[in-house]
């Protein structure tokens, strides 16, 4: 069995699958190593849907990245014949001064993104699944929608394999070390590999594996609910745009009914509970369900019927909630992609391209100055 590669990708979830594809498509002999199945439900990239939107309330610097992501997702659909991206329109709503509304509007204006501004009452009238306070404000962005994360991972893996990458699942990496000759040695439960370069895309496990990321990638437990709508027609993808909604204190996000017979939504950072991903309570608890149901009953009352499904997931938060995309200063043969802070999936296709470029070329054509490791020095 081959144990020598040009590049190894550690962690084949949302970002690692894309990175393996972009490395392999550049002719690089690539190995992707994943500790669980591909795909699986233990990390950050499961649960049927992930929002994609052009408006970026987090920071306008994300807009060029998401534009590139849309192109690459459509390209991956063409290449694999898989259905990955559904356009439903997207809502960013909340009090006028909220970051979700005002930041979204700012990014639309700065980047000339097609949008409309609606009052809460106009929004509720146009999309009757919603029942937001009339005085809330909303940016409606017609290109918003959702990705199917499991299909995206499978699509990237198929494309990576077609380009020559080897992918191994159920093989946890236990250790890695830079070698004296500037390469890297990676030890798994089954084998020891060597490569010219390593890309670490280990999600919520990043700070356990990479000493340089200690304290910079905090895993936070998430819970999602799917409730059966009592007015089902209001929650189908044709009539219900995806949303991010700031209530004042916190913000929530949600989706039309897709694949599971329920309206899906969650609260950003849920109970703000930092966890060890290997010890986390995986089973949703009654308090989790109550928090989510209370929200739906208030703002989406016709979406708040019987519970169809609950699921836990993990955010991996950086201190400023911006991504970390960089080479390690003392080991430039090691590149990290981490800290996606609950808003990374939509960018995975472009992040894979960027991580491949950083790893191979030491630079990328995208402006990633917001994402450097030295901002935490
Ligand atoms: C509930 C929820 C809702 C979200 N909603 C959205 C949304 O609507 N839109 C959006 O854009 N983003 C959203 N996000 C964020 C987005 O899903 C994440 O930013 C993204 O999935 C992170 O991908 P990743 O590759 O970093 O992590 P993962 O996909 O978890 O991949 C990391 C991989 O590394 C593997 N790994 C870890 N340790 C090892 C090891 N030792 N050896 C081998 N493999 C290892 C893991 O098993 C895992 O497969 C959401 C996240 C959650 C949890």
């Amino acid at each position: 069995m081959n144990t020598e590669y040009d590049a190894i990708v550690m962690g084949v979830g949302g970002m690692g699958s894309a990175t393996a594809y972009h490395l392999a498509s550049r002719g690089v002999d690539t190995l992707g190593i994943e500790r669980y199945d591909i795909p699986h439900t233990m990390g950050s990239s499961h649960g049927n849907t992930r929002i994609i939107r052009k408006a970026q309330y987090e920071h306008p610097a994300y807009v060029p990245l998401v534009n590139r992501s849309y192109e690459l997702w459509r390209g991956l659909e063409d290449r694999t014949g898989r259905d990955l991206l559904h356009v439903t329109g997207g809502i960013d709503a909340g009090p006028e001064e909220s970051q979700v509304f005002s930041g979204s509007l700012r990014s639309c204006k700065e980047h000339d993104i097609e949008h409309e501004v609606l009052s809460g009452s106009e929004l509720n009238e146009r999309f009757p699944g919603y029942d937001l306070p009339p005085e809330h404000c909303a940016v409606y962005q017609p290109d918003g929608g959702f990705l199917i994360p499991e299909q995206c991972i499978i699509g990237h893996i198929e494309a990576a394999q077609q380009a020559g990458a080897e992918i191994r699942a159920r093989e946890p990496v236990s250790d890695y070390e830079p070698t004296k000759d500037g390469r890297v040695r990676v030890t798994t439960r089954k084998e020891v590999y060597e490569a010219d370069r390593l890309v670490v895309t280990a999600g919520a496990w990043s700070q356990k594996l990479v000493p340089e990321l200690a304290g910079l990638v905090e895993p936070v437990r998430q819970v999602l609910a799917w409730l059966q709508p009592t007015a089902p027609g209001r929650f189908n993808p044709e009539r219900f745009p995806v949303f991010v909604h700031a209530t004042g204190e916190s913000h929530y996000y949600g989706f039309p009914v897709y694949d599971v017979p329920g309206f899906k939504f969650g609260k950003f950072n849920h109970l703000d509970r930092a966890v060890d991903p290997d010890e986390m309570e995986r089973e949703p608890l009654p308090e989790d369900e109550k928090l989510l149901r209370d929200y739906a009953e208030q703002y989406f009352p016709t979406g708040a019927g019987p519970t169809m499904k609950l699921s836990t997931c993990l955010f991996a938060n950086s201190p400023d909630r911006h991504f970390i995309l960089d080479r390690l200063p003392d080991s430039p043969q090691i590149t990290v992609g981490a800290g996606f802070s609950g808003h990374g999936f939509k960018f995975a296709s472009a992040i894979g391209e960027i991580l491949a470029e950083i790893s191979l070329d030491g630079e990328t054509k995208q402006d990633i100055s917001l994402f450097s490791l030295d901002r935490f020095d």
Side-chain angles (χ1 to χ4, degrees), residues 9-18 32-47 49-53 56 58 66 145-147 149 153 168 170-175 186-188 200-206 208-209 217 220-224 226 242-244 253-255 264-268 277-278 311-316 323 337-348 351:
V9 178
M10 185 204 299
V12 185
M15 305 302 169
S17 58
I33 311 176
E34 168 55 46
R35 63 183 279 174
Y36 294 116
D37 295 330
I38 299 176
H40 64 86
T41 59
M42 300 295 281
S44 305
S45 300
H46 57 281
T49 46
R50 287 290 184 276
I51 291 175
I52 183 164
R53 51 186 153 81
Q56 295 294 320
E58 293 89 345
V66 86
F146 61 86
L147 293 157
I153 292 172
R168 308 223 169 113
R170 291 184 167 264
E171 189 171 337
V173 173
S174 50
D175 197 14
V186 175
T187 305
T188 73
V200 184
T201 44
W205 287 266
S206 298
K208 284 184 101 172
L209 290 165
V217 186
V220 173
R221 181 176 177 272
Q222 289 297 298
V223 184
L224 294 162
W226 285 255
V242 297
F243 71 85
V244 179
Y253 53 95
F255 303 81
K264 173 188 166 184
F265 61 98
K267 174 178 184 271
F268 272 90
D278 296 314
S311 170
T312 56
C313 189
L314 281 154
F315 276 7
F323 305 161
F340 295 105
S341 306
H343 62 116
F345 198 90
K346 62 181 80 59
F347 304 99
I351 300 286

